Amino acid sequence: MAKAKRTLKWQRDPEGMRLRILEAAKQEFSAHGLAGARVDRIAAKAGANKRMLYYHVGNKDELYLAVLEGAYDKIRSEERGLDLEHLDPPEAIRRLIEFTWNYFLRNPEFLSLLQTENLARAKHLKKSTKVKSMHSPFVEMIRTVVRRGVDSGDFQVAVDPVQLYISIAALSFFYLSNSATLSVIFGRDLLDNKAKDERLAHMIGLVLAALTGQSAALFEVAKAPKSRAAAVQTV
Amino acid sequence: MAKAKRTLKWQRDPEGMRLRILEAAKQEFSAHGLAGARVDRIAAKAGANKRMLYYHVGNKDELYLAVLEGAYDKIRSEERGLDLEHLDPPEAIRRLIEFTWNYFLRNPEFLSLLQTENLARAKHLKKSTKVKSMHSPFVEMIRTVVRRGVDSGDFQVAVDPVQLYISIAALSFFYLSNSATLSVIFGRDLLDNKAKDERLAHMIGLVLAALTGQSAALFEVAKAPKSRAAAVQTV
DNA sequence: ACAGTATTTATCCAACGGGTTAATTTCTCC
DNA sequence: GGAGAAATTAACCCGTTGGATAAATACTGT
């Protein structure tokens, strides 16, 4: 009784509320896409009233854009924390692939949001000056790493850093974002631990083999006796 | 007058109608996703009445599944038409990459549909026994090509064919399906002809370099004089 | 303590959207 | 040539949904 009095009817918490709204919106948009997302569900998940969304962020589209900007902001921030410049080039590339893979694994909503935004042909992203100014540090990182690798003789090729960046992202992104349909097609779970480990090893092997020309050392199997090669490959 | 009499009010054409409905539905679902698609728009695009959709195909979900099944059917059919078994292994892989790239370019709705279905975690695909039974011939193709390549000494590695298949698809798929956001992020059009040519060359170079270990021959730039290497790379 | 403002709640509503019902027209086969 | 089935049209139904309005409640500074 006395307690009920202390917690009157509600407390003010604008910042907390805004964060809860954005978090709820992120979940809702990534789970259902833009058209499939329900404003009422976002409000409910945020423990709020629907009116609050409009008060603190804006209408559905503005809400969506805020979520998208937040997602880019987050990955850019983590990317900046990765220091690859001083590693030897093959190790730097390996770390880059591992980071990308793990980031996507840890943030599946990011993948969904990008898929959704691309379905919309980046209509919203184009309007966001904020995101346009958030350049990934990876392109320059890759450029210098590749240059160093070529100079040191580790790498055989001076590959376009943008292409390489896209390729590294692609190898992880597609596997994870399309794992649902791929798992059905192949009739096996691509997301169990064994499959994930194999995928990471494959991606690292593929990219490093291409750059260094040392296929043998990077994929498990080399030009070993054929019988053994056949045995080791995982299928 | 006499003519107007001949074309009374409408003609019967169940097969044609069904096809027009499915084509319209494909466009609508790929342009707007499942939740964003509008049944009325599909009807209008098909030059039909909304009731016709339900009469000839079913409700929205069934319509969507029919479209999805049609999309898989089409790509599997074209895949079967590709005969790579008798080519020498590097050439076979090159053709495989080119086919994948061009198929995705020619059928952007296929990409969108897959994105949409993955956003839905393959909920509909799982219910389709039809699609589950449509195995891609590429996995076995790749398996034998890789085996031949290893035996002949063209390839240094016996890579898992499923992994390679996914990787080849990934390199094209991600680039194209995410070209809208990537173009904004990089501030350049990834779909103009020059960019597309470069992308195809990059993908072929990457995969073949990894398999053969001959990076130099495959990417444009080798361990040439550094100044030249820097000049040639595109960025 | 109280006036003014920021924050939150409780309703409401008009448009939309998927789906249905019932009537109408064309075709086919006897 | 007409009866019955197949195909198509037109109109309607009703729950949902994004968004708006207005009133209530909790802070803040003075």
Side-chain angles (χ1 to χ4, degrees), chain B residues 153-181:
Chain B
D154 282 325
F155 294 162
Q156 299 192 1
V157 290
V159 67
D160 175 353
V162 170
Q163 294 289 355
L164 184 56
Y165 175 81
I166 293 178
S167 291
I168 287 174
L171 292 171
S172 288
F173 194 105
F174 176 78
Y175 185 91
L176 294 173
S177 73
N178 287 46
S179 61
T181 57

Side-chain angles (χ1 to χ4, degrees), chain A residues 147-197:
Chain A
R147 193 169 291 155
R148 278 199 296 122
V150 170
D151 288 353
S152 70
D154 282 324
F155 293 163
Q156 300 192 359
V157 291
V159 68
D160 175 353
V162 169
Q163 295 289 355
L164 184 56
Y165 175 81
I166 293 178
S167 291
I168 287 175
L171 291 170
S172 288
F173 194 106
F174 176 80
Y175 185 91
L176 293 173
S177 73
N178 287 46
S179 60
T181 57
L182 291 172
S183 289
V184 172
I185 297 298
F186 292 128
R188 70 190 206 198
D189 181 8
L190 294 184
L191 294 185
D192 66 28
N193 288 330
K194 179 159 165 286
K196 285 192 288 191
D197 289 347

